[in-house]
Each structure stands twice: as C-alpha cells, then as structure tokens.
Amino acid sequence: MLNKNLGLDDQLHQYVLSVSVKEPEVLAELRQETSNYTGFRMQITPEQGQFLAFLIKLIKAKKALEIGVFTGYSSLVTAIALPEDGKLIACDIDENYTQIARKYWEKAGVSEKINLHIAPALETLDQLLAQGEAETFDFAFIDADKRNYPNYYEKCLQLIRKGGLIAIDNVLWSGKVADPEINDKQTLAIRDFNSKIYQDDRVNLSLIPIADGLTLVIKK
Ligand code: SAM
Ligand code: CA
C-alpha cells in the first residue's frame, strides 16, 4: 500500500497544474512582472495561492492578516478571495517592492480592502493588540523573516478568533529541515519552530507539503 507522498517529478507536477490551477489574469501579470526582480523566488506558487484562496473562502474569512507582502501575490490572492466588505492588514518593511503590490491591488480593484503597514511586522501586530483587536481576525498568513516566526506565530494566535486559521510558509525550507547535517541559522530557526508548533496544544495542526511546505493551524 502506498503510505507516503507520491513525490512529484516535473511531468507529474505540470500535470497537477494543468488540471487544477486557474490563475486569474491579474495574478499571472504580477507573476510575470515579479520574474524580472532578483527576489522572484520569494513569491508563493500559483497552486499555493489557489489553495490559500480556497481556505479563505472555506472558512468564510472577512478579516485577514498578512506578514510579508513583497510584490503582493499572496495579498492579492487573499484580497480577491475575501468578500466585498473584507479587510486585509498587510505588513512589510519594504517601500519599493510594495509599490508593485499597490499597483496590482489597484488594477484588480481590491485596494480598498487592503491596509498596508510599512513597519517591522512585530510593531504592527503589537499595535493591533493595543487597539483591542485580539481575537478579531479569521485568517493570518506568515511569510516574512524566518527568525521571527515564533514571535509572529504568538501574536497571530492572539489576534485570530477561536476557529481561525494561521498558515505559515516555507516550513520545509527546501528540505533542509530534515537534514541533520544542515544547521545554518535559518534552517535551525524553522526546524525549532516546527518542533515547537507540533507540541502546541492550543491548536490543531496540519503540515501540507505544497510548494516549500505550508503549516496550517486552527486555534482551538
Ligand atoms: N508573501 C509574498 C508573496 O507571495 O510574494 C512573499 C513575501 S517574501 C518571502 C518576505 C517579505 O517579508 C519581504 O517582502 C520582506 O521585505 C518582508 N520582511 C522581512 N522582514 C520583515 C519584518 N521584520 N517585518 C515585516 N516584513 C518583513
Ligand atoms: Ca514564502
């Protein structure tokens, strides 16, 4: 019996994409523009974007949080998936790449739903908590500096409601987390984070081996 992942070679991966991914034109354009920049690999994949949109709709999220915007692919996915009166608080420190994000939010007609905070995300999250917004968010996506993952996770856990969902990206870190010989700072940070979250009884968890690994937790 097949009791582990099938493992996707390029041919099978292309097949999966060909029978499942329906990337809206505006997202395809943003992907194309981002491919001109050195950090283009930071962008989430189309199948991951579609999966996040699926989850957002499934839980009927209205209020969302994003940590790590870059050129805006995941935030655009989120904003499109939210209802008309939905809100996304988006956090990043980079003025330049987020200008591209703003351009595409405008183009897709969703900029009204998005509030971009240019500041270290921990400051923005603390500000939201200070404003009494604990337990008011339905969904959070964590995809910024890896060493702060435990801090982002703790703050997001306070900010989302019971039954709310947190998605954390890059938890497989190109497979390095499973290799005991690899112990650079970022690999160690993600490996520690994965162990910590596995032992966290405040949530139900699932690690999805999509793209670079996506952990999903539901707040109990
Ligand atoms: N989710 C994005 C997408 O789909 O294209 C990719 C995000 S990229 C992997 C990480 C982003 O985190 C970068 O744009 C970077 O500027 C931002 N970042 C790094 N440190 C940060 C911090 N302390 N606070 C907020 N954002 C930060
Ligand atoms: Ca990522």
Side-chain angles (χ1 to χ4, degrees):
M1 191 172 81
L2 192 63
N3 63 0
K4 65 177 186 69
N5 266 346
L6 191 53
L8 299 184
D9 60 15
D10 284 349
Q11 190 181 29
L12 188 52
H13 185 222
Q14 281 310 317
Y15 176 77
V16 169
L17 300 186
S18 72
V19 293
S20 65
V21 174
K22 298 179 179 183
E23 189 179 40
E25 185 56 33
V26 66
L27 284 167
E29 278 177 39
L30 170 55
R31 174 172 305 287
Q32 181 57 41
E33 176 160 355
T34 305
S35 69
N36 298 320
Y37 301 104
T38 46
F40 71 94
R41 285 198 181 80
M42 294 204 290
Q43 192 171 52
I44 61 164
T45 63
E47 65 270 34
Q48 191 180 2
Q50 187 168 306
F51 182 52
L52 290 175
F54 184 97
L55 293 171
I56 288 163
K57 286 173 187 263
L58 187 69
I59 66 163
K60 299 187 169 58
K62 281 183 87 166
K63 195 172 170 188
L65 193 54
E66 172 163 297
I67 303 164
V69 174
F70 185 46
T71 58
Y73 194 95
S74 51
S75 53
L76 186 50
V77 156
T78 302
I80 292 171
L82 288 172
E84 277 305 309
D85 59 346
K87 282 283 166 230
L88 170 64
I89 305 281
C91 309
D92 208 295
I93 44 174
D94 192 301
E95 289 276 6
N96 298 320
Y97 282 128
T98 53
Q99 285 302 327
I100 299 164
R102 285 185 197 277
K103 184 171 86 181
Y104 282 87
W105 299 341
E106 201 65 50
K107 200 167 186 171
V110 295
S111 51
E112 290 297 302
K113 296 185 196 174
I114 307 175
N115 195 344
L116 174 64
H117 292 245
I118 298 290
L122 283 178
E123 284 178 19
T124 303
L125 300 179
D126 279 336
Q127 207 175 33
L128 292 169
L129 287 166
Q131 287 164 3
E133 300 205 36
E135 307 233 306
T136 65
F137 287 82
D138 304 298
F139 175 78
F141 180 51
I142 301 178
D143 189 20
D145 48 321
K146 309 309 168 200
R147 82 192 158 86
N148 266 317
Y149 266 26
N151 299 323
Y152 296 145
Y153 175 71
E154 284 302 324
K155 307 272 180 207
C156 285
L157 209 50
Q158 291 177 56
L159 285 162
I160 63 157
R161 62 168 167 87
K162 285 191 176 58
L165 181 65
I166 307 177
I168 306 116
D169 199 26
N170 303 104
V171 294
L172 295 181
W173 205 234
S174 308
K176 292 182 196 169
V177 282
D179 184 344
E181 304 286 306
I182 302 180
N183 289 300
D184 61 89
K185 276 189 186 156
Q186 289 195 310
T187 305
L188 281 178
I190 296 179
R191 195 182 286 141
D192 287 354
F193 175 73
N194 287 339
S195 314
K196 180 171 173 265
I197 205 169
Y198 180 57
Q199 288 158 27
D200 189 350
D201 290 332
R202 297 170 296 175
V203 296
N204 295 117
L205 154 150
S206 188
L207 196 167
I208 315 295
I210 187 173
D212 195 27
L214 183 72
T215 289
L216 301 177
V217 306
I218 299 174
K219 181 171 168 177
K220 286 183 187 168

